[in-house]
Amino acid sequence: MPLVSTRQLLDEAAKGGYGVGAFNVNNMEQIQAIMEAAKETNSPVIIQASRGARAYAQDKYLYHLMLAAAELYPEIPLAMHLDHGNSYETCVSAIELGFTSVMMDGSLNADGKTPATFEENVAVTRKVVDYAHPRGIAVEGEIGVLGGVEDGHGAGGSGLEHLTDPDQAVEFAERTGVDSLAVAIGTSHGAYKFTKKPDGSVLKMELVVAIHKRLPKTHLVMHGSSSVPQDLQDIVNQYGGKLKQTWGVPVEEIQLGIRNGVRKVNVDTDSRLAITGAIRKVFVEQPEKFDPRDYLKPARAAMQKVVAQRMVQFGQAGHAGDYKAISIADMAKGYKDGTLSTKPEVAKK
Ligand code: G3H
Ligand code: 13P
Ligand code: ZN
């Protein structure tokens, strides 16, 4: 299948009542791990690259690896998404390269650190939508600010400082025409999300419920959704790592979100932990090894395992064959003739 739009994947997920994992990548092994997991579980999938990933791998390498994935797995609906675009220019460059959807994270200023005003966020997101839709490219916006810092990106903090206000979410969706909306509900990026198993006081799932009630047809996105499983922490530490005890987002909470309009679930940290644990194990148990394939193969297999688990847990497993690809040119026509809605349905309070 050619690379398809995230919008198509999320529209189908809404019909089927499931979520789609969006997994971050920086290199070939991570793309291979995700595609093998998608094949194993028969899942549609979103692969996403951050600005940091684009700088690390170089755009052209990433793009051609993604084309290779689409060619090698014709049965898998696959979208290539820009994660946390920090400016209009970043989004345009991703679209020019061939990404099939972009996130304009206007919740922060272009420095990727300081929270932007609501009006600034609306203006830059609307500008990206106006550029993207005529080209058939879907746009994710963010309202509210997540916690944590990844690779220099993020406002820091616990994730509770700038939670999404449901009224603002409605206004934002109406004024920007985004295809999907990332919400801040107390999650943060990275491994150190919670210092104990999160309960209702830290993870505001009731906000997802409230936003979904007001915007019943809008695809919601949960960032910072790694579960940071204990066994992956333990493997890293057993083989010389020094992770402090931490808790991620319980899978049951994500599943509750999925029952309430969450269609895209962002996961990066769990893959990073799986890879690091597997590599450390080889280094400690077989210190004589020096062929990178000796540790990259188990690393890739470990990532495949956790990604496949998430695909089953999010409900996307089994849905790869449900639909045919809509070309990006036809997506552009759909936005133009209105068959692809950009006006959210808003329910009264
Ligand atoms: O949202 C953050 C993702 O985990 C990507 O992280 O910016 O370090 O590539 P990164
Ligand atoms: P995690 O750090 O929880 O994996 O979140 C990833 C993410 O939200 C990427 O945008
Ligand atoms: Zn994120």
Side-chain angles (χ1 to χ4, degrees):
M1 211 179 265
L3 293 172
V4 297
S5 167
T6 296
R7 169 70 187 263
Q8 186 187 5
L9 263 63
L10 301 188
D11 283 350
E12 290 292 338
K15 281 187 223 160
Y18 58 89
V20 182
F23 302 97
N24 287 75
V25 297
N26 296 272
N27 61 23
M28 180 182 75
E29 284 76 8
Q30 290 180 301
I31 295 174
Q32 290 173 327
I34 296 166
M35 294 314 295
E36 278 299 299
K39 184 179 170 184
E40 181 190 329
T41 59
N42 194 30
S43 298
V45 68
I46 300 163
I47 293 187
Q48 57 188 9
S50 66
R51 274 192 301 146
R54 290 175 65 187
Y56 171 79
Q58 289 191 35
D59 277 350
K60 283 286 175 197
Y61 280 116
L62 271 183
Y63 181 59
H64 287 276
L65 286 167
M66 291 297 297
L67 288 185
E71 195 178 318
L72 288 167
Y73 298 82
E75 72 284 13
I76 302 295
L78 167 63
M80 180 177 182
H81 179 75
L82 170 70
D83 192 26
H84 293 285
N86 65 320
S87 66
Y88 172 77
E89 290 74 21
T90 300
C91 293
V92 167
S93 72
I95 293 167
E96 281 174 349
L97 179 70
F99 280 74
T100 55
S101 59
V102 294
M103 174 188 192
M104 177 60 235
D105 181 357
S107 71
L108 299 174
N109 286 318
D111 65 3
K113 285 182 178 53
T114 35
T117 65
F118 179 73
E119 288 302 327
E120 285 166 340
N121 190 357
V122 168
V124 70
T125 307
R126 177 81 240 177
K127 196 172 165 194
V128 171
V129 168
D130 288 342
Y131 181 84
H133 281 178
R135 291 165 175 79
I137 303 301
V139 180
E140 172 183 335
E142 176 167 322
I143 180 80
V145 183
L146 261 81
V149 180
E150 283 292 281
D151 214 13
H153 181 100
S158 69
L160 289 171
E161 286 87 352
H162 305 277
L163 295 169
T164 304
D165 170 63
D167 289 331
Q168 273 201 344
V170 170
E171 188 182 339
F172 184 81
E174 285 181 316
R175 288 175 61 189
T176 59
V178 286
D179 300 272
S180 58
L181 188 59
V183 291
I185 54 164
T187 64
S188 47
H189 290 116
Y192 298 106
K193 300 184 194 302
F194 308 113
T195 49
K196 60 183 172 60
K197 192 168 185 229
D199 56 25
S201 64
V202 278
L203 202 49
K204 306 285 180 196
M205 294 311 295
E206 71 275 12
L207 267 183
V208 174
V209 176
I211 296 163
H212 180 54
K213 274 213 177 102
R214 301 289 314 282
L215 293 168
K217 296 278 167 62
T218 298
H219 305 313
L220 303 180
V221 183
M222 266 176 77
H223 281 248
S225 291
S226 278
S227 299
V228 197
Q230 190 63 49
D231 61 327
L232 293 185
Q233 294 181 50
D234 290 345
I235 294 174
V236 172
N237 286 340
Q238 185 186 342
Y239 293 102
K242 289 214 174 350
L243 294 173
K244 286 175 286 184
Q245 179 61 47
T246 180
W247 281 265
V249 181
V251 168
E252 315 83 71
E253 301 292 331
I254 298 170
Q255 290 168 333
L256 172 64
I258 291 169
R259 289 196 293 279
N260 287 280
V262 169
R263 298 289 160 237
K264 177 170 176 281
V265 187
N266 284 17
V267 173
D268 186 357
T269 297
D270 285 353
S271 308
R272 293 176 171 187
L273 290 171
I275 287 172
T276 299
I279 290 179
R280 280 190 171 280
K281 185 169 190 287
V282 175
F283 284 176
V284 169
E285 287 183 347
Q286 302 173 81
E288 73 285 2
K289 296 285 190 194
F290 61 90
D291 181 339
R293 289 170 297 190
D294 287 331
Y295 50 87
L296 292 178
K297 266 194 206 169
R300 193 170 59 185
M303 176 166 166
Q304 180 183 335
K305 186 172 167 208
V306 71
V307 169
Q309 268 170 3
R310 297 290 174 269
M311 287 170 162
V312 171
Q313 289 161 334
F314 300 163
Q316 74 211 79
H319 288 287
D322 290 358
Y323 49 95
K324 299 254 172 303
I326 299 175
S327 72
I328 297 300
D330 282 344
M331 294 297 290
K333 281 189 204 141
Y335 286 119
K336 196 166 175 211
D337 66 22
T339 44
L340 284 171
S341 67
T342 52
K343 293 231 174 323
E345 191 176 305
V346 180
K348 287 220 172 67
K349 271 203 245 188

